[in-house]
Amino acid sequence: MPNITGHTELVGLMAYPIRHSQSPSTHNLAYDKNGDDVIQLAFEVDNDSLKDAVQAIRALKMLGSNISMPNKTVVHQYLDEVDEAARLCGAINTVVNTRDENGNVTGKLKGYNTDGMGYWQGIKEEGIDFKGMKMVLIGTGGAATAIAVRGALDGLGELAIFNIKDKFYARGEEIVETINKNTNCKASMHDLADKDLLKKLMQEADIFCDATGVGMHPLEDLSNIPDPSYFKKDLIVTDTVYAPRETVMMKQAKEAGCTRVYNGMSMMLFQALIAIELYTGKSTPVDYMKEKLG
Ligand code: NAD
């Protein structure tokens, strides 16, 4: 039972539905470990109640709030400032009540996207310097966009994005245009049905990411990659899925002899730890969190 007093400060989590979220357990474990008198609580907030809920961050002098669906792409209109990566990918998952020189919250709210930061922090924690690397990324949804934009801003050399020709495809073309206009990364968009091109670019790539959700329920028996021959041994292979811990795609990569194969756990952990640091200014011991969260 946390020791809640008149001094305890509040971080929100605004989404709908939200009761299933693991975010409060992760945040509260970290605040406790860091000795911060802070708690996170989840609030059922949809697009209709979002404006009032964001105003409450100011009125209640909250430290900020995590933002999830359906609010990530619309919350920007209620904020005072938006970080560049969040602006370019059009989605915010963290709203910070900025502080003055005395450490008091100001009511000026700034939006960030820590999903992309979290993915790349996970890569850096593996001792990998991704500057100048060539990446193949499958997906153009929320996770993929955040990974693409943050990677491009932070020095990725080339980025080939593949997606099926569904409603997300046009969004991929927009991301590619945004990246080519705003960063030094050379981005390109391709149809996932073009398996010859996918195989060729995967052979030339340094890092691969599947950010589609293929490999998790109800698509847990599927992979976007036809067979293990697509993977070369030294490819860094990542999946944004963390349940199951090992997807069909990850099994294929291991079968092909890849040794650097990672699931979405580190992205999930680091997006939370980066948000926590934005709220409190404190970094959380990573090994402790990994051990506790399993
Ligand atoms: P989204 O709905 O925004 O995007 C879904 C993407 O998957 C689109 O590109 C879509 O075209 C593609 N897709 C859907 N069905 C497909 C199919 N049958 N074959 C090929 N592609 C298909 O979803 P999102 O929020 O970007 O999430 C994508 C995945 O990333 C999910 O598995 C989610 O759990 C995971 N995720 C993980 C983290 C983390 O912290 N590890 C964070 C966010 C999302």
Side-chain angles (χ1 to χ4, degrees):
M1 180 75 183
N3 184 24
I4 296 171
T5 71
H7 295 281
T8 305
E9 294 183 290
L10 178 62
V11 167
L13 166 59
M14 299 176 179
Y16 187 85
I18 197 55
R19 295 294 170 217
H20 63 285
S21 173
Q22 290 185 5
S23 176
S25 324
T26 305
H27 273 246
N28 293 325
L29 186 66
Y31 297 133
D32 187 46
K33 177 68 182 169
N34 295 340
D36 285 322
D37 192 4
V38 176
I39 58 161
Q40 186 186 53
L41 290 179
F43 299 102
E44 287 182 329
V45 174
D46 60 12
N47 286 179
D48 290 338
S49 51
L50 183 61
K51 185 178 179 186
D52 289 345
V54 171
Q55 187 51 28
I57 298 174
R58 297 185 179 96
L60 301 178
K61 297 185 178 166
M62 292 165 62
L63 298 187
S65 182
N66 283 36
I67 303 291
S68 196
M69 294 313 283
N71 302 322
K72 282 181 167 188
T73 53
V74 293
V75 72
H76 59 90
Q77 61 193 304
Y78 309 123
L79 306 181
D80 302 292
E81 208 185 330
V82 177
D83 167 72
E84 189 186 15
R87 183 176 57 78
L88 293 182
C89 67
I92 287 164
N93 74 341
T94 302
V95 170
V96 176
N97 196 346
T98 58
R99 295 175 190 256
D100 63 19
E101 59 279 5
N102 300 317
N104 299 316
V105 292
T106 61
K108 280 202 166 161
L109 305 184
K110 181 167 180 180
Y112 296 85
N113 187 318
T114 67
D115 282 335
M117 295 177 182
Y119 174 85
W120 291 108
Q121 184 62 34
I123 295 295
K124 282 189 241 168
E125 292 281 325
E126 296 296 338
I128 297 164
D129 176 6
F130 62 89
K131 286 210 171 57
M133 278 190 174
K134 291 184 182 178
M135 180 180 214
V136 170
L137 171 68
I138 305 183
T140 57
T145 306
I147 291 167
V149 167
R150 188 74 256 172
L153 283 171
D154 287 353
L156 208 52
E158 289 181 35
L159 175 62
I161 305 178
F162 286 82
N163 207 71
I164 55 173
K165 289 259 178 155
D166 63 357
K167 63 176 181 172
F168 287 91
Y169 195 88
R171 183 175 166 167
E173 292 175 317
E174 283 167 28
I175 302 163
V176 162
E177 202 183 321
T178 299
I179 287 174
N180 287 332
K181 252 191 211 159
N182 293 279
T183 77
N184 293 324
C185 177
K186 279 189 231 149
S188 55
M189 184 69 213
H190 312 281
D191 185 353
L192 186 57
D194 188 348
K195 293 292 189 278
D196 289 342
L197 183 64
L198 176 67
K199 190 168 188 175
K200 177 177 178 288
L201 295 185
M202 282 177 70
Q203 295 294 324
E204 293 170 3
D206 305 293
I207 181 163
F208 168 79
C209 178
D210 189 315
T212 62
V214 172
M216 72 180 273
H217 184 74
L219 307 174
E220 65 268 38
D221 296 330
L222 301 180
S223 167
N224 281 314
I225 307 301
D227 65 69
S229 70
Y230 281 63
F231 297 95
K232 55 173 185 169
K233 284 192 175 61
D234 60 350
L235 187 66
I236 300 158
V237 177
T238 65
D239 202 319
T240 56
V241 170
Y242 49 83
R245 293 283 194 265
E246 190 171 77
T247 59
V248 175
M249 184 279 286
M250 292 169 63
K251 287 192 179 103
Q252 290 172 314
K254 286 182 181 172
E255 206 180 310
C258 298
T259 51
R260 293 180 295 177
V261 181
Y262 309 110
N263 63 25
M265 280 300 285
S266 61
M267 176 177 178
M268 189 180 63
L269 175 61
F270 286 112
Q271 63 78 23
L273 298 191
I274 292 165
I276 287 164
E277 189 159 355
L278 287 168
Y279 297 134
T280 66
K282 287 207 189 139
S283 57
T284 308
V286 175
D287 289 345
Y288 171 83
M289 294 300 287
K290 279 188 177 163
E291 186 196 319
K292 288 284 180 187
L293 297 173

